[in-house]
Amino acid sequence: MMKSIVEAVFQNAEKTPDKLCLVDDTRTVTYREYADEIARMATVLETLGIKSGSRVVIEASQTISYLASELAVQLLKAVFVPLEKGCASEKIASMATRANASFILTNADVSLEVDIPRKTIAEIAEATVTASKKNDIDFPEADTISEILFSTGTTGKEKGIVLTHGNDIALAENVAYSVNIQEDNVEMIPSPMNHSHGLRRYYANLWKGASVVLLGSIMDVRRFFHNMEDYGVNSLDLVPAALSVLLRLSKDNLAKYSEVIRYIQFGSAPLMKSDKDWIRRLLPNTNLYNFYGSTESGCICCYEFNHTEDKENCIGKPTYNAHIFMVDDEKKEISSDSTHTGLLASKGAMNMVGYLDDPEETEKVLKDGSIYSNDVAYFDEDGDVILLGRAGDVINIGGKKVSPEEIEDAAKKMPMIEDCACVPVSDEIKGHVPKLYVKVAAGYEFQTAEIRDWLLEHLEPYKVPAYYEEIDAIPRTSNGKILRRKL
């Protein structure tokens, strides 16, 4: 039984040594070549003082060398701490200090105001070419720390999420079983590899012994289709923002692959209704999966929405290792339905150990292995989870709970509206009522009455916003989530 992702790579190198493992914008490696590169890189890092328990901050990129450095660190039983590509030097120094890092790897030779040894990934990769392979390989145990992922949540406060190798394996299983990854899978991943979304799709494919094609930028549509043809890509991973870019730049070209693409998996933020309809039209035979989860708990619900009933706000059923339940405000489990909603909680091998050096915040969300979210949800009669939104975002209109996403999806169907966001505002009679912030599409003028009339045709009257305001841009995270607190 594999206890870590790095062990999975080495096992697959023995089983299928000549099989394509990874592709980036400049080169490819088989499983045997990748395992050898990791083993040689581990030798290089070991000579630099990295050992069991060391924490190594690594600036991300969509490259084989970057991902090899991650697994080389983990092979040494050290801890991988990824940061986003192009991270400012001040932030690298700050995160390295917070993580108590003993080494830093960056993409460029930058000046940092911290007394921590550092090298560029290019320097390590160059030394790796002539290094000998680490022979005394002893793979890490499942319960040891594998990585610390710094979240970029909607609150603006970054937290270090501590995960084990066992967590990574459980997360890989959740993804692989949900989308039915086969050994001949070739999945293209443009998602940043410092973020949990991209990393966990990569883990799932390596765990299964499949192939991963990295894409440097979703804006590079020419390379996207080049990869489709040259490497036989048969599955995709896209965050909603990436799907929007791809559809608008490539028009209907994806339809050429309607018999080739087995699935596309989405996550990290809700899909725009217009994009969902567009991709369904282009790929009627493709399984389209939406994952729900967090960096803390991972991919815990999955919903295939191309060949099933399109339920409003449905996030599907629990994944392989996830036990989902609803609780009240005191964290006591309750029976839920549409009139008795609760807060979504999860238990399973994928849940984090806790927040780095923050027992107070950890205690708020983690107890006896269960993660308690702030998301309002319930189970419907089919056993599917219906997600209404975050507790502070769900709009309680005279006792009726309304999802802001439902209002936004209806509004975005209107040609006048390019983007929008709905938030609750206080009301003396109803408690709260919806307010809609609108970014107007080019060529249109902001007209409150027209928007209200449109929504009255598409929503129940009590869901129609009481207030409207034009805005230049809807504030969002890098993954497309609306920053409602800013509104």
Side-chain angles (χ1 to χ4, degrees):
M1 180 178 177
M2 294 174 286
K3 299 177 182 178
S4 65
I5 299 301
V6 66
E7 184 176 358
V9 170
F10 278 75
Q11 282 197 19
N12 288 321
E14 292 297 321
K15 180 182 175 183
T16 55
D18 298 325
K19 186 175 183 179
L20 180 67
C21 178
L22 273 178
V23 177
D24 66 17
D25 288 353
T26 62
R27 65 186 178 112
T28 68
V29 289
T30 65
Y31 267 95
R32 178 74 277 159
E33 289 168 340
Y34 194 41
D36 287 350
E37 184 169 338
I38 292 164
R40 293 196 306 272
M41 193 173 285
T43 297
V44 174
L45 295 176
E46 197 169 36
T47 62
L48 294 171
I50 296 171
K51 56 187 178 181
S52 177
S54 298
R55 295 176 181 178
V56 184
V57 165
I58 310 179
E59 183 186 353
S61 64
Q62 300 295 101
T63 65
I64 293 169
S65 294
Y66 161 69
L67 292 175
S69 70
E70 173 206 354
L71 294 185
V73 163
Q74 293 180 343
L75 185 61
L76 295 172
K77 301 181 180 180
V79 180
F80 167 59
V81 186
L83 298 181
E84 63 185 327
K85 181 180 179 180
C87 199
S89 57
E90 294 83 359
K91 186 171 182 179
I92 295 174
S94 173
M95 293 295 101
T97 301
R98 281 186 61 186
N100 193 24
S102 57
F103 209 91
I104 300 172
L105 293 175
T106 56
N107 292 322
D109 187 9
V110 295
S111 176
L112 300 176
E113 294 184 0
V114 288
D115 189 21
I116 301 173
R118 59 187 177 277
K119 292 278 187 182
T120 66
I121 292 176
E123 289 173 325
I124 299 299
E126 184 179 357
T128 296
V129 173
T130 56
S132 59
K133 292 189 292 184
K134 180 175 173 59
N135 292 317
D136 54 333
I137 291 176
D138 180 23
F139 295 112
E141 293 296 320
D143 61 353
T144 56
I145 304 301
S146 62
E147 57 199 31
I148 300 170
L149 303 182
F150 282 99
S151 69
T152 52
T154 56
T155 63
K157 180 182 178 182
E158 288 184 313
K159 298 185 179 114
I161 291 138
V162 181
L163 299 159
T164 67
H165 291 283
N167 293 152
D168 292 339
I169 292 292
L171 288 159
E173 291 173 338
N174 283 0
V175 173
Y177 287 127
S178 293
V179 304
N180 192 27
I181 292 178
Q182 302 296 308
E183 290 187 1
D184 64 344
N185 206 62
V186 183
E187 184 163 340
M188 183 150 49
I189 305 178
S191 306
M193 285 301 190
N194 64 292
H195 190 271
S196 60
H197 182 89
L199 282 171
R200 288 164 181 175
R201 275 68 189 174
Y202 158 72
Y203 291 163
N205 280 277
L206 292 194
W207 174 79
K208 189 66 178 179
S211 307
V212 170
V213 178
L214 304 170
L215 181 65
S217 171
I218 196 65
M219 300 293 289
D220 192 349
V221 175
R222 183 176 178 181
R223 184 174 292 278
F224 176 94
F225 287 106
H226 164 88
N227 288 345
M228 293 291 300
E229 295 290 339
D230 281 18
Y231 302 111
V233 170
N234 54 31
S235 53
L236 299 171
D237 167 62
L238 297 168
V239 297
L243 175 66
S244 292
V245 170
L246 179 62
L247 290 175
R248 282 150 185 79
L249 291 180
S250 66
K251 305 301 180 185
D252 288 351
N253 283 343
L254 269 181
K256 299 176 184 176
Y257 303 92
S258 61
E259 301 299 324
V260 174
I261 301 175
R262 297 170 177 174
Y263 67 77
I264 304 178
Q265 49 176 314
F266 303 97
S268 86
L271 282 168
M272 289 177 59
K273 178 68 165 59
S274 58
D275 288 347
K276 185 185 287 189
D277 292 342
W278 194 346
I279 196 68
R280 277 171 160 168
R281 176 175 60 82
L282 297 181
L283 303 173
N285 301 317
T286 297
N287 287 326
L288 302 176
Y289 296 99
N290 188 57
F291 276 99
Y292 163 85
S294 63
T295 310
E296 290 88 340
S297 64
C299 314
I300 57 173
C301 275
C302 185
Y303 186 47
E304 200 288 310
F305 60 85
N306 205 22
H307 302 105
T308 56
E309 177 189 355
D310 191 12
K311 296 181 183 179
E312 196 76 47
N313 304 316
C314 182
I315 58 172
K317 290 183 170 62
T319 52
Y320 183 75
N321 289 298
H323 169 61
I324 306 294
F325 55 103
M326 307 302 163
V327 299
D328 60 19
D329 291 339
E330 303 300 320
K331 294 186 174 61
K332 292 181 181 178
E333 187 170 354
I334 62 169
S335 296
S336 66
D337 56 38
S338 59
T339 58
H340 300 88
T341 61
L343 297 175
L344 190 151
S346 65
K347 191 177 183 70
M350 66 282 152
N351 282 348
M352 70 169 184
V353 173
Y355 292 123
L356 177 67
D357 300 327
D358 201 339
E360 185 177 337
E361 285 298 312
T362 300
E363 190 175 346
K364 290 179 182 178
V365 302
L366 179 64
K367 183 179 180 182
D368 298 328
S370 294
I371 296 285
Y372 295 88
S373 79
N374 199 33
D375 288 337
V376 179
Y378 65 91
F379 284 105
D380 71 6
E381 61 276 7
D382 300 320
D384 287 322
V385 179
I386 307 300
L387 181 71
L388 298 180
R390 295 188 68 80
D393 298 335
V394 172
I395 307 169
N396 192 335
I397 306 171
K400 297 178 180 179
K401 294 180 180 178
V402 178
S403 165
E405 284 89 356
E406 181 182 359
I407 298 171
E408 290 157 2
D409 284 345
K412 287 174 185 175
K413 295 176 184 177
M414 188 177 186
M416 178 196 298
I417 297 177
E418 180 178 322
D419 197 5
C420 63
C422 188
V423 297
V425 295
S426 297
D427 181 83
E428 290 184 3
I429 297 174
K430 297 180 180 179
H432 289 92
V433 292
K435 176 178 180 178
L436 190 69
Y437 286 91
V438 173
K439 179 183 179 183
V440 177
Y444 289 88
E445 291 185 3
F446 179 69
Q447 298 287 342
T448 297
E450 288 185 27
I451 299 172
R452 183 183 292 113
D453 290 345
W454 171 277
L455 292 175
L456 280 167
E457 293 179 6
H458 293 81
L459 296 169
E460 295 92 333
Y462 73 90
K463 296 178 181 178
V464 174
Y467 303 100
Y468 302 82
E469 184 175 329
E470 185 177 8
I471 192 171
D472 291 336
I474 302 299
R476 294 179 180 272
T477 67
S478 58
N479 293 317
K481 293 180 183 178
I482 295 172
L483 293 165
R484 299 186 193 278
R485 295 192 182 193
K486 285 193 173 184
L487 296 172

